[in-house]
Amino acid sequence: MDELDREIISLLERDGRASNARIARDVGVSEGTVRRRLKRLISEQIINVIALPDPRKLGYNSEALIGVQVDPDKVDEVATKMASLEHTRWVTITTGTYDVFAWAT
């Protein structure tokens, strides 16, 4: 991954629906270059295309960011189980005070 990939990702973080043509203009390369870069970033799972709904508009009145400390040999198992819960929106494994974070609505 190079600086161009980072610029493309940054633009998509601000506007996930930006067209390849618009991204190409903003970063100064051809639309084909952007299309090839995006195809690679997605196929290598560097980025994922997702829909992120607004929980309030879905009728949820609260959200929670949950940090969990887990025995080192159980981190993957706990993260997988947390991800399967109905109201979990995302789960990540991390380092620091907490081993697993989850966002729930």
PDB file of all heavy atoms in Angstrom, residues 67-85 88 91-93 99-102:
ATOM      1  N   GLY A  67     -15.709  -2.590  25.834  1.00  0.00           N
ATOM      2  CA  GLY A  67     -14.344  -3.088  25.885  1.00  0.00           C
ATOM      3  C   GLY A  67     -14.284  -4.293  26.805  1.00  0.00           C
ATOM      4  O   GLY A  67     -14.824  -4.260  27.912  1.00  0.00           O
ATOM      5  N   VAL A  68     -13.636  -5.371  26.341  1.00  0.00           N
ATOM      6  CA  VAL A  68     -13.595  -6.613  27.104  1.00  0.00           C
ATOM      7  C   VAL A  68     -12.139  -7.072  27.250  1.00  0.00           C
ATOM      8  O   VAL A  68     -11.381  -7.064  26.278  1.00  0.00           O
ATOM      9  CB  VAL A  68     -14.417  -7.720  26.395  1.00  0.00           C
ATOM     10  CG1 VAL A  68     -14.395  -9.005  27.184  1.00  0.00           C
ATOM     11  CG2 VAL A  68     -15.847  -7.263  26.165  1.00  0.00           C
ATOM     12  N   GLN A  69     -11.791  -7.477  28.460  1.00  0.00           N
ATOM     13  CA  GLN A  69     -10.493  -8.104  28.696  1.00  0.00           C
ATOM     14  C   GLN A  69     -10.692  -9.614  28.655  1.00  0.00           C
ATOM     15  O   GLN A  69     -11.625 -10.136  29.273  1.00  0.00           O
ATOM     16  CB  GLN A  69      -9.932  -7.686  30.040  1.00  0.00           C
ATOM     17  CG  GLN A  69      -9.602  -6.219  30.115  1.00  0.00           C
ATOM     18  CD  GLN A  69      -9.136  -5.799  31.495  1.00  0.00           C
ATOM     19  OE1 GLN A  69      -9.533  -6.368  32.505  1.00  0.00           O
ATOM     20  NE2 GLN A  69      -8.280  -4.788  31.526  1.00  0.00           N
ATOM     21  N   VAL A  70      -9.827 -10.306  27.923  1.00  0.00           N
ATOM     22  CA  VAL A  70     -10.000 -11.734  27.666  1.00  0.00           C
ATOM     23  C   VAL A  70      -8.665 -12.448  27.857  1.00  0.00           C
ATOM     24  O   VAL A  70      -7.609 -11.879  27.572  1.00  0.00           O
ATOM     25  CB  VAL A  70     -10.496 -11.949  26.210  1.00  0.00           C
ATOM     26  CG1 VAL A  70     -10.748 -13.401  25.923  1.00  0.00           C
ATOM     27  CG2 VAL A  70     -11.737 -11.130  25.928  1.00  0.00           C
ATOM     28  N   ASP A  71      -8.723 -13.696  28.307  1.00  0.00           N
ATOM     29  CA  ASP A  71      -7.503 -14.502  28.350  1.00  0.00           C
ATOM     30  C   ASP A  71      -6.946 -14.604  26.927  1.00  0.00           C
ATOM     31  O   ASP A  71      -7.715 -14.777  25.968  1.00  0.00           O
ATOM     32  CB  ASP A  71      -7.794 -15.911  28.878  1.00  0.00           C
ATOM     33  CG  ASP A  71      -8.120 -15.922  30.368  1.00  0.00           C
ATOM     34  OD1 ASP A  71      -7.680 -14.984  31.074  1.00  0.00           O
ATOM     35  OD2 ASP A  71      -8.822 -16.855  30.802  1.00  0.00           O
ATOM     36  N   PRO A  72      -5.626 -14.488  26.770  1.00  0.00           N
ATOM     37  CA  PRO A  72      -5.030 -14.458  25.434  1.00  0.00           C
ATOM     38  C   PRO A  72      -5.447 -15.608  24.513  1.00  0.00           C
ATOM     39  O   PRO A  72      -5.638 -15.409  23.318  1.00  0.00           O
ATOM     40  CB  PRO A  72      -3.524 -14.502  25.716  1.00  0.00           C
ATOM     41  CG  PRO A  72      -3.380 -13.927  27.081  1.00  0.00           C
ATOM     42  CD  PRO A  72      -4.624 -14.348  27.822  1.00  0.00           C
ATOM     43  N   ASP A  73      -5.661 -16.789  25.055  1.00  0.00           N
ATOM     44  CA  ASP A  73      -6.007 -17.928  24.209  1.00  0.00           C
ATOM     45  C   ASP A  73      -7.487 -17.949  23.814  1.00  0.00           C
ATOM     46  O   ASP A  73      -7.917 -18.799  23.037  1.00  0.00           O
ATOM     47  CB  ASP A  73      -5.636 -19.247  24.891  1.00  0.00           C
ATOM     48  CG  ASP A  73      -6.376 -19.455  26.206  1.00  0.00           C
ATOM     49  OD1 ASP A  73      -6.698 -18.455  26.881  1.00  0.00           O
ATOM     50  OD2 ASP A  73      -6.626 -20.623  26.556  1.00  0.00           O
ATOM     51  N   LYS A  74      -8.271 -16.997  24.304  1.00  0.00           N
ATOM     52  CA  LYS A  74      -9.709 -16.973  24.009  1.00  0.00           C
ATOM     53  C   LYS A  74     -10.147 -15.740  23.218  1.00  0.00           C
ATOM     54  O   LYS A  74     -11.337 -15.551  22.963  1.00  0.00           O
ATOM     55  CB  LYS A  74     -10.503 -17.070  25.298  1.00  0.00           C
ATOM     56  CG  LYS A  74     -10.289 -18.384  26.038  1.00  0.00           C
ATOM     57  CD  LYS A  74     -11.358 -18.599  27.055  1.00  0.00           C
ATOM     58  CE  LYS A  74     -11.285 -19.864  27.835  1.00  0.00           C
ATOM     59  NZ  LYS A  74     -10.346 -20.867  27.576  1.00  0.00           N
ATOM     60  N   VAL A  75      -9.217 -14.900  22.817  1.00  0.00           N
ATOM     61  CA  VAL A  75      -9.558 -13.642  22.143  1.00  0.00           C
ATOM     62  C   VAL A  75     -10.373 -13.889  20.882  1.00  0.00           C
ATOM     63  O   VAL A  75     -11.440 -13.295  20.686  1.00  0.00           O
ATOM     64  CB  VAL A  75      -8.290 -12.813  21.834  1.00  0.00           C
ATOM     65  CG1 VAL A  75      -8.616 -11.633  20.946  1.00  0.00           C
ATOM     66  CG2 VAL A  75      -7.641 -12.331  23.126  1.00  0.00           C
ATOM     67  N   ASP A  76      -9.904 -14.751  19.997  1.00  0.00           N
ATOM     68  CA  ASP A  76     -10.625 -15.009  18.747  1.00  0.00           C
ATOM     69  C   ASP A  76     -12.017 -15.582  18.999  1.00  0.00           C
ATOM     70  O   ASP A  76     -12.992 -15.176  18.363  1.00  0.00           O
ATOM     71  CB  ASP A  76      -9.832 -15.952  17.835  1.00  0.00           C
ATOM     72  CG  ASP A  76      -8.594 -15.295  17.258  1.00  0.00           C
ATOM     73  OD1 ASP A  76      -8.597 -14.056  17.096  1.00  0.00           O
ATOM     74  OD2 ASP A  76      -7.625 -16.016  16.970  1.00  0.00           O
ATOM     75  N   GLU A  77     -12.118 -16.511  19.916  1.00  0.00           N
ATOM     76  CA  GLU A  77     -13.400 -17.140  20.234  1.00  0.00           C
ATOM     77  C   GLU A  77     -14.398 -16.111  20.771  1.00  0.00           C
ATOM     78  O   GLU A  77     -15.564 -16.062  20.340  1.00  0.00           O
ATOM     79  CB  GLU A  77     -13.196 -18.250  21.260  1.00  0.00           C
ATOM     80  CG  GLU A  77     -14.462 -18.923  21.724  1.00  0.00           C
ATOM     81  CD  GLU A  77     -14.217 -19.928  22.841  1.00  0.00           C
ATOM     82  OE1 GLU A  77     -13.045 -20.250  23.141  1.00  0.00           O
ATOM     83  OE2 GLU A  77     -15.216 -20.382  23.417  1.00  0.00           O
ATOM     84  N   VAL A  78     -13.956 -15.261  21.691  1.00  0.00           N
ATOM     85  CA  VAL A  78     -14.831 -14.247  22.274  1.00  0.00           C
ATOM     86  C   VAL A  78     -15.252 -13.230  21.208  1.00  0.00           C
ATOM     87  O   VAL A  78     -16.428 -12.859  21.106  1.00  0.00           O
ATOM     88  CB  VAL A  78     -14.153 -13.558  23.472  1.00  0.00           C
ATOM     89  CG1 VAL A  78     -14.917 -12.317  23.913  1.00  0.00           C
ATOM     90  CG2 VAL A  78     -14.003 -14.544  24.622  1.00  0.00           C
ATOM     91  N   ALA A  79     -14.312 -12.786  20.379  1.00  0.00           N
ATOM     92  CA  ALA A  79     -14.633 -11.818  19.327  1.00  0.00           C
ATOM     93  C   ALA A  79     -15.658 -12.391  18.350  1.00  0.00           C
ATOM     94  O   ALA A  79     -16.606 -11.703  17.956  1.00  0.00           O
ATOM     95  CB  ALA A  79     -13.365 -11.398  18.592  1.00  0.00           C
ATOM     96  N   THR A  80     -15.510 -13.646  17.990  1.00  0.00           N
ATOM     97  CA  THR A  80     -16.451 -14.294  17.072  1.00  0.00           C
ATOM     98  C   THR A  80     -17.838 -14.378  17.686  1.00  0.00           C
ATOM     99  O   THR A  80     -18.850 -14.092  17.034  1.00  0.00           O
ATOM    100  CB  THR A  80     -15.945 -15.698  16.690  1.00  0.00           C
ATOM    101  OG1 THR A  80     -14.684 -15.560  16.035  1.00  0.00           O
ATOM    102  CG2 THR A  80     -16.921 -16.405  15.769  1.00  0.00           C
ATOM    103  N   LYS A  81     -17.911 -14.758  18.957  1.00  0.00           N
ATOM    104  CA  LYS A  81     -19.211 -14.846  19.626  1.00  0.00           C
ATOM    105  C   LYS A  81     -19.854 -13.475  19.768  1.00  0.00           C
ATOM    106  O   LYS A  81     -21.060 -13.323  19.571  1.00  0.00           O
ATOM    107  CB  LYS A  81     -19.073 -15.522  20.985  1.00  0.00           C
ATOM    108  CG  LYS A  81     -18.862 -17.014  20.867  1.00  0.00           C
ATOM    109  CD  LYS A  81     -18.817 -17.700  22.205  1.00  0.00           C
ATOM    110  CE  LYS A  81     -18.601 -19.202  22.004  1.00  0.00           C
ATOM    111  NZ  LYS A  81     -18.550 -19.921  23.263  1.00  0.00           N
ATOM    112  N   MET A  82     -19.060 -12.460  20.099  1.00  0.00           N
ATOM    113  CA  MET A  82     -19.609 -11.112  20.209  1.00  0.00           C
ATOM    114  C   MET A  82     -20.138 -10.627  18.861  1.00  0.00           C
ATOM    115  O   MET A  82     -21.184  -9.982  18.797  1.00  0.00           O
ATOM    116  CB  MET A  82     -18.550 -10.140  20.745  1.00  0.00           C
ATOM    117  CG  MET A  82     -18.218 -10.362  22.213  1.00  0.00           C
ATOM    118  SD  MET A  82     -16.900  -9.297  22.805  1.00  0.00           S
ATOM    119  CE  MET A  82     -17.759  -7.731  22.912  1.00  0.00           C
ATOM    120  N   ALA A  83     -19.438 -10.939  17.789  1.00  0.00           N
ATOM    121  CA  ALA A  83     -19.855 -10.511  16.455  1.00  0.00           C
ATOM    122  C   ALA A  83     -21.168 -11.155  16.032  1.00  0.00           C
ATOM    123  O   ALA A  83     -21.898 -10.604  15.211  1.00  0.00           O
ATOM    124  CB  ALA A  83     -18.757 -10.831  15.441  1.00  0.00           C
ATOM    125  N   SER A  84     -21.476 -12.311  16.588  1.00  0.00           N
ATOM    126  CA  SER A  84     -22.700 -13.016  16.197  1.00  0.00           C
ATOM    127  C   SER A  84     -23.943 -12.517  16.949  1.00  0.00           C
ATOM    128  O   SER A  84     -25.062 -12.892  16.598  1.00  0.00           O
ATOM    129  CB  SER A  84     -22.538 -14.520  16.423  1.00  0.00           C
ATOM    130  OG  SER A  84     -22.528 -14.819  17.802  1.00  0.00           O
ATOM    131  N   LEU A  85     -23.767 -11.662  17.940  1.00  0.00           N
ATOM    132  CA  LEU A  85     -24.914 -11.154  18.701  1.00  0.00           C
ATOM    133  C   LEU A  85     -25.744 -10.197  17.845  1.00  0.00           C
ATOM    134  O   LEU A  85     -25.205  -9.425  17.045  1.00  0.00           O
ATOM    135  CB  LEU A  85     -24.434 -10.460  19.977  1.00  0.00           C
ATOM    136  CG  LEU A  85     -23.707 -11.361  20.974  1.00  0.00           C
ATOM    137  CD1 LEU A  85     -23.121 -10.532  22.109  1.00  0.00           C
ATOM    138  CD2 LEU A  85     -24.635 -12.434  21.507  1.00  0.00           C
ATOM    139  N   THR A  88     -24.905  -6.323  17.701  1.00  0.00           N
ATOM    140  CA  THR A  88     -23.512  -5.949  17.499  1.00  0.00           C
ATOM    141  C   THR A  88     -23.335  -5.433  16.080  1.00  0.00           C
ATOM    142  O   THR A  88     -23.728  -6.085  15.120  1.00  0.00           O
ATOM    143  CB  THR A  88     -22.579  -7.151  17.743  1.00  0.00           C
ATOM    144  OG1 THR A  88     -22.770  -7.611  19.080  1.00  0.00           O
ATOM    145  CG2 THR A  88     -21.125  -6.770  17.542  1.00  0.00           C
ATOM    146  N   VAL A  91     -16.949  -5.559  15.570  1.00  0.00           N
ATOM    147  CA  VAL A  91     -16.069  -6.059  16.626  1.00  0.00           C
ATOM    148  C   VAL A  91     -14.636  -5.941  16.117  1.00  0.00           C
ATOM    149  O   VAL A  91     -14.364  -6.208  14.949  1.00  0.00           O
ATOM    150  CB  VAL A  91     -16.380  -7.535  16.975  1.00  0.00           C
ATOM    151  CG1 VAL A  91     -15.362  -8.095  17.952  1.00  0.00           C
ATOM    152  CG2 VAL A  91     -17.786  -7.669  17.535  1.00  0.00           C
ATOM    153  N   THR A  92     -13.743  -5.559  16.998  1.00  0.00           N
ATOM    154  CA  THR A  92     -12.331  -5.510  16.618  1.00  0.00           C
ATOM    155  C   THR A  92     -11.469  -6.041  17.758  1.00  0.00           C
ATOM    156  O   THR A  92     -11.804  -5.875  18.934  1.00  0.00           O
ATOM    157  CB  THR A  92     -11.898  -4.069  16.238  1.00  0.00           C
ATOM    158  OG1 THR A  92     -10.588  -4.099  15.695  1.00  0.00           O
ATOM    159  CG2 THR A  92     -11.939  -3.138  17.423  1.00  0.00           C
ATOM    160  N   ILE A  93     -10.407  -6.705  17.381  1.00  0.00           N
ATOM    161  CA  ILE A  93      -9.409  -7.181  18.348  1.00  0.00           C
ATOM    162  C   ILE A  93      -8.312  -6.132  18.391  1.00  0.00           C
ATOM    163  O   ILE A  93      -7.877  -5.628  17.351  1.00  0.00           O
ATOM    164  CB  ILE A  93      -8.857  -8.559  17.920  1.00  0.00           C
ATOM    165  CG1 ILE A  93      -9.988  -9.598  17.944  1.00  0.00           C
ATOM    166  CG2 ILE A  93      -7.694  -8.977  18.808  1.00  0.00           C
ATOM    167  CD1 ILE A  93      -9.610 -10.941  17.355  1.00  0.00           C
ATOM    168  N   ASP A  99      -8.913  -6.166  25.132  1.00  0.00           N
ATOM    169  CA  ASP A  99      -8.510  -7.063  24.062  1.00  0.00           C
ATOM    170  C   ASP A  99      -9.492  -7.054  22.888  1.00  0.00           C
ATOM    171  O   ASP A  99      -9.113  -7.275  21.747  1.00  0.00           O
ATOM    172  CB  ASP A  99      -8.400  -8.503  24.589  1.00  0.00           C
ATOM    173  CG  ASP A  99      -7.440  -8.578  25.762  1.00  0.00           C
ATOM    174  OD1 ASP A  99      -6.265  -8.225  25.580  1.00  0.00           O
ATOM    175  OD2 ASP A  99      -7.873  -8.985  26.863  1.00  0.00           O
ATOM    176  N   VAL A 100     -10.768  -6.821  23.196  1.00  0.00           N
ATOM    177  CA  VAL A 100     -11.813  -6.823  22.182  1.00  0.00           C
ATOM    178  C   VAL A 100     -12.712  -5.622  22.422  1.00  0.00           C
ATOM    179  O   VAL A 100     -13.082  -5.325  23.564  1.00  0.00           O
ATOM    180  CB  VAL A 100     -12.663  -8.133  22.260  1.00  0.00           C
ATOM    181  CG1 VAL A 100     -13.744  -8.127  21.195  1.00  0.00           C
ATOM    182  CG2 VAL A 100     -11.786  -9.362  22.137  1.00  0.00           C
ATOM    183  N   PHE A 101     -13.046  -4.906  21.346  1.00  0.00           N
ATOM    184  CA  PHE A 101     -14.032  -3.828  21.402  1.00  0.00           C
ATOM    185  C   PHE A 101     -15.209  -4.224  20.510  1.00  0.00           C
ATOM    186  O   PHE A 101     -15.013  -4.803  19.435  1.00  0.00           O
ATOM    187  CB  PHE A 101     -13.472  -2.509  20.883  1.00  0.00           C
ATOM    188  CG  PHE A 101     -12.705  -1.736  21.917  1.00  0.00           C
ATOM    189  CD1 PHE A 101     -11.323  -1.694  21.882  1.00  0.00           C
ATOM    190  CD2 PHE A 101     -13.369  -1.022  22.914  1.00  0.00           C
ATOM    191  CE1 PHE A 101     -10.604  -0.973  22.823  1.00  0.00           C
ATOM    192  CE2 PHE A 101     -12.661  -0.299  23.862  1.00  0.00           C
ATOM    193  CZ  PHE A 101     -11.282  -0.288  23.820  1.00  0.00           C
ATOM    194  N   ALA A 102     -16.408  -3.863  20.937  1.00  0.00           N
ATOM    195  CA  ALA A 102     -17.605  -4.075  20.138  1.00  0.00           C
ATOM    196  C   ALA A 102     -18.467  -2.824  20.204  1.00  0.00           C
ATOM    197  O   ALA A 102     -18.527  -2.158  21.235  1.00  0.00           O
ATOM    198  CB  ALA A 102     -18.390  -5.278  20.648  1.00  0.00           C
TER     199      ALA A 102
END
